[in-house]
Amino acid sequence: MKLVKSFALIFFIAGAAVSFHSCTIKQNTGLLASSSTTASQTEVFLDNAPFAYDFAADTISYNSCVGENLDKTQIHGFKIGSNQGFIDSDATGAVQGGVKLRTEFLDYVGKNVKPNYPSTVIVPAQIQYLLKNSTKNSDGFIQYAIRNRSNLKVLVDTINFTTPVVLGRDGVIENTSLQVDSVVSDLTKSIVFGPKGVVLSEGQRVYNLQPKTNQAAPMEGVLRYNASVDETFPAASGFDDNLGAAEQHSDNVRKKFNSSSTDKVILAVTYGNPFSAAATAANDAGLNSPKQPSSGDATKAYGRAYELKFESLSAKAGWRQNRLTSVKETSLGGDTLGVGTWSCDNFVIMKKAHWNNPRPAEAGCAPLTASDLQDPVISAQVKKIRRHYSDENWNVGLFYAASATYLPATRVTHSICLVPKLQTECYLRTSGLTADGVDVGVQYDPDQECYLTRWESMGVTYTGGLTGDSARKLGRCAQYASVCSRQ
């Protein structure tokens, strides 16, 4: 099979002598720098071609929701994707995120491939053939997962734990192969080579892998880590049963991101083949066998790493580090991929009863008005939020604290809040927890302490030694939606 492929490549790229009226027009028939190319040289050329693909995300969001039945809704935990779309103002088609071909790969093409006669420069069709036949690029799908930094193994979500790694829970794979004709065509159509194999243009990133006949869909992966029940924790006594495991589990995951030890995890974009022998043997869709520069170094793979940092809004008892405040992007392969800088915004998530709340003594999320959206700060934040929090599933408004005075002139000074439209809350139940039946509500004020079901096992001590109903009446701790974007 390889021999057939080699001769086909020689014919396709090098061309052949053309004869006309006893006149022979000769050309350089060598695939490489020499005047001729053998089948064995072609095999070496295919084996030595560098890994070609580079996907860069432009949006990462985190949602600290710990409500019940979240696994049955569109409420995500982590989401990473190419969601910004076009960023150009002059119709060049420039995008911030998406997939393109690596500089190293294109340089290799320029140095080793000869133009296919009668063209005087390398053309997209030649690059396409190489993508489909070179050893490192003949198969591949984009993978999204949270991985251990020390060995790149996928972090298994212990909520509703089963083994082994589960596709769709512990990792996500783009369902369109990078080898699909439409994808390969989009990746190569705007690449321009000059004489002597000089790369004049690497082309724009492709942010949609769907065939043109289908509706455009962003490239993104969704990971949860925010379900409500975890069977690996024993059920706690009291009114909350074992639902509080969600708070503890999510907190443990965030601690792994913040860790500087061997348990540190990263959000990663890698590449793999879900149909390979290794993927079949491990029954993990290839998530634990990403493509790597060297099989001897488990810390490296082709792709990008995103180190996430979580912080708390308050030092008061109960408040957790549940706001994603920074992203550090690096190359997983240790090469010189151009990496971006990131900025993050955080927005409080409120209970559904607090949307357009008519009770002034309670906190509320006031619907946005047309004049609000004329404010450039609010408008920019809403656009960023809508990349991962759709209008179909989320209300976006302005936050008013309990007993806050409503003044139309100061609306734009209020921070943005989110409220789910779905059939569940982003909070564990707040009623039926105390002996007197009081709804303990949510504590949105960072100057006050807040209640965690498993406060004791999570290392929390309340002022005055509060326990039981006294601790519950502090109110559930506030949850946040964090959205980070690549600059």
Side-chain angles (χ1 to χ4, degrees):
M1 178 63 77
K2 276 195 172 185
L3 191 59
V4 172
K5 178 176 68 176
S6 301
F7 282 121
L9 184 60
I10 294 172
F11 179 81
F12 182 81
I13 297 183
V18 178
S19 187
F20 180 73
H21 288 297
S22 300
C23 235
T24 300
I25 303 174
K26 292 187 177 180
Q27 66 202 63
N28 190 339
T29 60
L31 172 64
L32 307 179
S34 60
S35 60
S36 63
T37 305
T38 66
S40 61
Q41 287 175 312
T42 303
E43 290 298 341
V44 172
F45 173 75
L46 292 171
D47 288 340
N48 288 342
F51 185 73
Y53 301 102
D54 170 35
F55 174 80
D58 61 37
T59 307
I60 294 174
S61 67
Y62 174 72
N63 187 323
S64 66
C65 288
V66 292
E68 301 172 51
N69 299 315
L70 293 186
D71 56 335
K72 300 175 183 177
T73 70
Q74 298 300 312
I75 295 179
H76 65 274
F78 293 89
K79 185 181 287 189
I80 176 172
S82 173
N83 303 89
Q84 185 174 0
F86 295 108
I87 61 170
D88 68 314
S89 58
D90 54 4
T92 64
V95 295
Q96 182 74 274
V99 64
K100 67 179 290 293
L101 298 184
R102 292 174 177 238
T103 301
E104 179 187 10
F105 175 81
L106 294 178
D107 286 344
Y108 182 84
V109 173
K111 291 176 181 178
N112 294 285
V113 174
K114 294 297 180 182
N116 194 11
Y117 183 83
S119 175
T120 59
V121 295
I122 299 167
V123 296
Q126 294 177 277
I127 312 170
Q128 293 169 16
Y129 192 92
L130 183 57
L131 285 174
K132 291 195 172 188
N133 290 276
S134 55
T135 306
K136 294 183 179 70
N137 302 299
S138 58
D139 57 25
F141 293 75
I142 296 174
Q143 306 170 326
Y144 312 96
I146 294 173
R147 298 178 180 271
N148 187 289
R149 189 63 188 92
S150 63
N151 57 21
L152 299 187
K153 294 298 183 183
V154 173
L155 177 67
V156 174
D157 190 348
T158 55
I159 292 284
N160 296 323
F161 177 72
T162 57
T163 55
V165 171
V166 177
L167 184 63
R169 183 196 67 186
D170 305 312
V172 179
I173 299 176
E174 283 286 346
N175 58 13
T176 302
S177 166
L178 294 171
Q179 296 295 301
V180 171
D181 287 344
S182 59
V183 174
V184 173
S185 176
D186 283 346
L187 287 171
T188 59
K189 66 182 181 182
S190 58
I191 295 173
V192 179
F193 281 91
K196 299 182 179 180
V198 176
V199 181
L200 300 180
S201 173
E202 295 189 356
Q204 304 295 345
R205 290 187 180 273
V206 175
Y207 70 99
N208 171 38
L209 298 184
Q210 302 304 311
K212 294 300 178 286
T213 54
N214 296 336
Q215 184 178 1
M219 301 164 64
E220 64 181 23
V222 177
L223 303 163
R224 296 197 181 277
Y225 295 93
N226 60 356
S228 59
V229 180
D230 185 349
E231 286 79 0
T232 62
F233 282 96
S237 60
F239 293 97
D240 293 321
D241 193 30
N242 64 343
L243 292 176
E247 294 169 330
Q248 189 165 9
H249 174 69
S250 298
D251 197 49
N252 288 340
V253 172
R254 293 189 295 263
K255 286 178 179 177
K256 291 180 186 294
F257 275 103
N258 285 348
S259 174
S260 58
S261 188
T262 56
D263 65 340
K264 182 177 181 63
V265 298
I266 54 172
L267 183 60
V269 174
T270 51
Y271 307 85
N273 181 2
F275 307 107
S276 68
T280 302
N283 192 27
D284 64 359
L287 288 171
N288 271 327
S289 52
K291 290 178 175 290
Q292 297 177 292
S294 170
S295 59
D297 188 349
T299 67
K300 289 184 171 60
Y302 296 115
R304 293 174 184 260
Y306 300 91
E307 298 181 19
L308 310 184
K309 181 180 180 180
F310 291 90
E311 294 180 299
S312 175
L313 184 63
S314 172
K316 294 291 185 178
W319 289 76
R320 314 313 292 165
Q321 294 178 317
N322 61 355
R323 298 158 65 248
L324 173 58
T325 57
S326 72
V327 175
K328 180 182 178 181
E329 179 182 335
T330 61
S331 170
L332 265 180
D335 45 22
T336 55
L337 285 179
V339 296
T341 57
W342 291 72
S343 64
C344 299
D345 293 297
N346 311 113
F347 312 98
V348 67
I349 298 174
M350 304 184 73
K351 291 195 68 175
K352 293 163 71 173
H354 293 160
W355 173 249
N356 202 15
N357 192 357
R359 296 174 288 276
E362 299 177 1
C365 190
L368 292 172
T369 65
S371 59
D372 294 333
L373 294 173
Q374 292 177 4
D375 179 82
V377 175
I378 291 178
S379 176
Q381 288 182 328
V382 171
K383 288 179 181 178
K384 183 184 291 188
I385 289 169
R386 287 306 186 200
R387 296 184 199 174
H388 282 181
Y389 295 85
S390 69
D391 180 67
E392 178 185 3
N393 295 326
W394 292 89
N395 284 311
V396 176
L398 297 177
F399 175 77
Y400 280 82
S403 302
T405 302
Y406 176 79
L407 297 172
T410 63
R411 278 181 62 89
V412 296
T413 65
H414 289 256
S415 59
I416 286 179
C417 49
L418 278 73
V419 178
K421 295 181 180 180
L422 301 162
Q423 296 301 310
T424 188
E425 296 277 11
C426 266
Y427 291 90
L428 299 176
R429 62 191 68 161
T430 59
S431 59
L433 303 182
T434 61
D436 58 11
V438 173
D439 188 328
V440 302
V442 176
Q443 182 56 265
Y444 299 116
D445 186 352
D447 291 328
Q448 304 297 323
E449 296 179 350
C450 62
Y451 172 64
L452 295 168
T453 302
R454 300 195 171 200
W455 57 271
E456 190 171 22
S457 62
M458 294 174 72
V460 174
T461 301
Y462 293 113
T463 301
L466 296 181
T467 61
D469 283 1
S470 297
R472 294 185 179 97
K473 290 181 179 180
L474 293 171
R476 294 281 189 191
C477 298
Q479 305 299 338
Y480 291 88
S482 302
V483 184
C484 303
S485 58
R486 193 174 195 251
Q487 305 304 301

